[in-house]
């Protein structure tokens, strides 16, 4: 297979940057390399040493305050008091596994399923999004009798053996499974098609046909509905429906990876897939559902899940434990009581508008797109050719860090800033972010 791009190394500290570090930072990076090994990655040429967080803000060891425009894991804000209190109280009472009866997992499940389409009526719990997607692949294979999984070109779905095999974003050093097929991303900015939904459905059908030609039976299509690793591709709303129809017509299931677009982030709907009017067969979630506490979930149609669950017992020691459920329940309550879905819609729309105004000042901004508090900011060498400018994107990330704004890049060309702050992000923060982008581009001569 041809060399693939990666989002893992496009904004990373490397050994050649070490000489430019102060002594204290150099000591930490050296120790990290020694005790943690070389697989881990640090953001930035000059890594940030964080010590505290609150809401949408972070502070480093020197006391400098940063605006977090990247961390969706702390979905409702760093160190949210409601989550801290819920976890603390449950820790004082009990924390054990799901082979004993406990009300909290049942109460939370009823609340969570109430946010999904009626056809989704079962839930299972794990600790990470990787585990949820791993189980989803097993469910797809049990239901379909096939093994083939289709994902987008720059997809990231986890780090287990099964999920890394369907995560091209991990880079060319990570082999994809022989049963994995990639489809080009549904990029409305770069794909010249009168009907993006039909174009994307045809891309999926071509890969299903290729599987058949190689003796592989199709099992399912696994996608993050905002295609975040592919560069944040939210529009047009509804374009996914034809692709899901093709998946079902070929005997497969649609797995909606909602780790990033779920829980009100897009503003338009509680779940990212709902923007497209589709009903997944399986939904997966990850740590944002617990504001960073290790909890994840798989929600499914009962008939789809039965193909797996009626035959194979499933047990995850800490999946769905009372403390994790307390955190998840607190997050769901906060989203509802603080109106965070509507907040995301309103504040996200204003942020998108202000970011688009920057296009009048900077020719290097090719496109700005998004839904709610999930925005892609694409940089190009020139707008006519739409030639990606990865070098500028990486330099811009570093400049933003100097202005105390933290984010990173995405997309197959590494030229899209992924702006995805905690939902605590406020209208008052827009000036900081937009101003930092404007100043940074001016400082870079762009």
């Amino acid at each position: 297979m041809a060399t693939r791009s990666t989002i893992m190394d496009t904004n990373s500290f490397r050994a050649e940057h070490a000489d430019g570090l102060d002594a204290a930072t150099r000591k930490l990076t050296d120790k990290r390399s020694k005790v943690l090994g070389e697989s881990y990655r640090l953001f930035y040429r000059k890594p940030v040493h964080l010590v505290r967080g609150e809401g949408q803000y972070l502070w480093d060891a020197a006391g400098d305050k940063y605006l977090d425009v990247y961390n969706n894991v702390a979905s409702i804000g760093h160190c949210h008091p409601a989550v801290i209190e819920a976890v603390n109280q449950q820790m004082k009472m009990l924390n054990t596994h799901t082979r004993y009866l406990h009300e909290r997992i049942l109460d939370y499940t009823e609340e969570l399923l109430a946010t999904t389409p009626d056809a989704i009526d079962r839930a299972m719990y794990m600790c990470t999004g990787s585990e949820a997607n791993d189980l989803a692949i097993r469910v797809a294979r049990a239901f379909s009798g096939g093994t083939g999984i289709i994902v987008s070109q720059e997809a990231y779905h986890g780090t287990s053996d099964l999920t890394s095999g369907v995560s091209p974003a991990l880079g060319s050093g990570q082999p994809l499974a022989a049963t994995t097929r990639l489809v080009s991303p549904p990029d409305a900015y770069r794909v010249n098609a009168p009907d993006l939904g039909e174009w994307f459905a045809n891309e999926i059908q071509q890969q299903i046909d290729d599987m058949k030609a190689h003796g592989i039976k199709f099992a399912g299509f696994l996608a993050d509905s905002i295609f975040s690793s592919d560069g944040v591709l939210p529009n047009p709303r509804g374009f996914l429906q034809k692709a899901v129809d093709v998946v079902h017509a070929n005997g497969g299931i649609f797995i909606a990876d909602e780790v990033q677009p779920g829980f009100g982030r897009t503003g338009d709907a509680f779940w990212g897939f709902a923007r497209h009017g589709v009903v997944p067969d399986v939904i997966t979630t990850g740590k944002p559902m617990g504001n960073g506490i290790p909890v994840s979930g798989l929600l499914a149609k009962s008939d789809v899940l039965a193909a797996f669950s009626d035959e194979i017992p499933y047990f995850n020691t800490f999946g769905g434990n009372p403390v994790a459920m307390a955190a998840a329940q607190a997050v769901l309550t906060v989203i509802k009581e603080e109106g965070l879905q509507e907040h995301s819609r309103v504040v996200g729309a204003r942020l998108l508008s202000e970011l688009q105004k920057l296009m009048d000042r900077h020719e290097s901004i090719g496109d700005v797109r998004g839904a709610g508090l999930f925005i892609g900011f694409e940089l190009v060498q020139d707008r006519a050719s739409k030639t990606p400018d990865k070098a500028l994107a990486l330099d811009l990330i570093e400049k933003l860090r100097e202005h105390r704004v933290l984010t990173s890049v995405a997309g197959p060309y590494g030229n899209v800033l992924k702006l995805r702050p905690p939902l605590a992000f406020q209208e008052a923060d827009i000036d900081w972010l937009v101003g930092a982008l404007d100043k940074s581009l001016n400082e870079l001569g762009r």
Side-chain angles (χ1 to χ4, degrees):
M1 180 172 288
T3 300
R4 302 188 307 276
S5 66
T6 172
I7 60 171
M8 291 298 294
D9 288 312
T10 45
N11 175 22
S12 291
F13 168 76
R14 295 179 176 79
E16 61 264 30
H17 302 141
D19 290 341
L21 301 179
D22 61 81
T25 304
R26 176 68 181 268
K27 183 178 179 180
L28 283 177
T29 59
D30 288 349
K31 185 174 183 179
R32 179 183 167 103
S33 178
K34 180 179 179 181
V35 300
L36 298 182
E38 302 307 321
S39 284
Y40 284 102
R41 297 291 186 270
L42 279 165
F43 279 147
Y44 301 108
R45 297 162 194 164
K46 182 181 178 183
V48 183
H49 178 191
L50 297 174
V51 296
R52 186 166 71 90
E54 181 180 337
Q56 64 276 41
Y57 304 121
L58 295 162
W59 285 263
D60 67 15
D64 291 320
K65 181 181 178 181
Y66 293 78
L67 178 62
D68 184 354
V69 193
Y70 189 69
N71 198 335
N72 71 310
V73 175
S75 57
I76 59 173
H78 295 280
C79 302
H80 197 290
V83 177
I84 294 170
E85 177 65 15
V87 167
N88 184 39
Q89 290 302 316
Q90 185 59 54
M91 282 287 286
K92 291 178 180 179
M93 292 187 290
L94 175 71
N95 193 30
T96 187
H97 52 70
T98 54
R99 296 185 74 179
Y100 301 108
L101 289 173
H102 197 274
E103 294 89 351
R104 196 177 280 280
I105 188 172
L106 304 178
D107 293 343
Y108 174 71
T109 299
E110 287 181 337
E111 290 181 38
L112 185 61
L113 289 176
T115 69
T116 68
D118 291 343
I120 304 293
D121 58 356
R122 296 289 187 275
M124 299 175 70
Y125 297 100
M126 309 86 213
C127 301
T128 69
S130 295
E131 289 180 303
N133 284 326
D134 189 291
L135 181 59
I137 292 170
R138 294 173 67 190
V139 169
R141 290 175 171 175
F143 179 79
S144 67
T147 58
I149 301 293
I150 293 175
V151 296
S152 58
Q153 179 182 326
E154 191 71 10
Y156 171 72
H157 295 295
T159 57
S160 70
D161 185 46
L162 279 182
T163 57
S164 62
V166 294
S167 295
L170 291 173
S172 56
Q174 168 63 53
L176 295 179
T179 51
T180 297
R181 293 294 184 274
L182 306 182
V183 287
S184 298
D187 186 347
Y189 177 59
R190 295 182 177 278
V191 173
N192 184 19
D195 185 331
L196 186 67
E198 184 174 344
W199 175 89
F200 192 54
N202 288 336
E203 290 286 306
I204 289 177
Q205 185 63 61
Q206 288 176 26
Q207 294 307 315
I208 294 172
D209 293 343
D210 182 73
M211 286 180 180
K212 290 178 182 177
H214 289 85
I216 299 168
K217 187 175 180 180
F218 174 56
F221 170 48
L222 170 58
D224 151 13
S225 58
I226 204 164
F227 296 89
S228 53
S229 295
D230 291 283
V232 187
L233 310 173
N235 297 315
R237 290 177 64 169
F239 78 80
L240 266 183
Q241 182 63 66
K242 291 181 179 179
V244 173
D245 291 343
V246 165
V247 167
H248 288 155
N250 285 273
I253 69 169
F254 170 46
I255 304 165
D257 181 340
E258 290 287 313
V259 172
Q260 297 191 60
F263 291 88
R265 173 160 290 279
T266 69
D268 295 322
F270 188 87
W271 298 102
F273 64 78
R275 297 182 67 251
H276 295 289
V278 299
V279 177
D281 301 288
V282 172
I283 302 166
T284 57
T285 68
K287 287 182 285 295
M289 72 187 283
N291 213 47
I293 294 293
V295 59
S296 64
L298 179 147
L299 314 177
K301 296 176 179 177
S302 54
D303 61 323
V304 172
L305 187 59
F308 174 87
S309 61
D310 288 0
E311 299 295 328
I312 303 174
Y314 181 83
F315 178 62
N316 186 312
T317 303
F318 286 101
N321 71 72
V323 169
M325 291 292 95
Q329 205 160 27
V331 168
L332 201 55
T333 298
V334 167
I335 290 173
K336 293 175 181 177
E337 291 185 351
E338 296 186 7
L340 291 185
Q341 179 184 321
E342 177 65 5
H343 170 82
S344 182
R345 186 188 70 81
V346 172
V347 176
R350 186 184 161 202
L351 174 59
L352 182 66
S353 175
E354 293 300 317
L355 290 170
Q356 288 172 337
K357 290 176 184 177
L358 285 180
M359 296 179 71
D360 295 333
R361 296 169 55 83
H362 302 280
E363 285 292 320
S364 55
I365 304 171
D367 191 36
V368 184
R369 52 192 178 255
L373 286 171
F374 209 144
I375 293 173
F377 189 87
E378 179 151 358
L379 296 154
V380 294
Q381 293 178 19
D382 67 86
R383 289 185 187 166
S385 67
K386 300 183 180 180
T387 303
D389 200 332
K390 178 179 179 179
L392 175 60
L394 296 181
D395 286 343
L396 181 55
I397 291 295
E398 301 293 334
K399 276 292 179 184
L400 286 171
R401 180 216 185 282
E402 293 176 14
H403 291 290
R404 307 289 186 258
V405 172
L406 303 178
T407 191
S408 193
V409 294
Y413 312 107
N415 69 315
V416 179
L417 271 59
K418 183 158 63 172
L419 307 178
R420 182 195 53 180
L423 300 184
F425 185 93
Q426 301 294 323
E427 287 200 19
D429 299 311
I430 292 175
D431 287 345
W432 186 352
L433 172 56
V434 175
L437 280 163
D438 190 22
K439 291 176 187 175
S440 297
L441 286 167
N442 283 331
E443 289 166 1
L444 292 168
R446 300 299 297 274

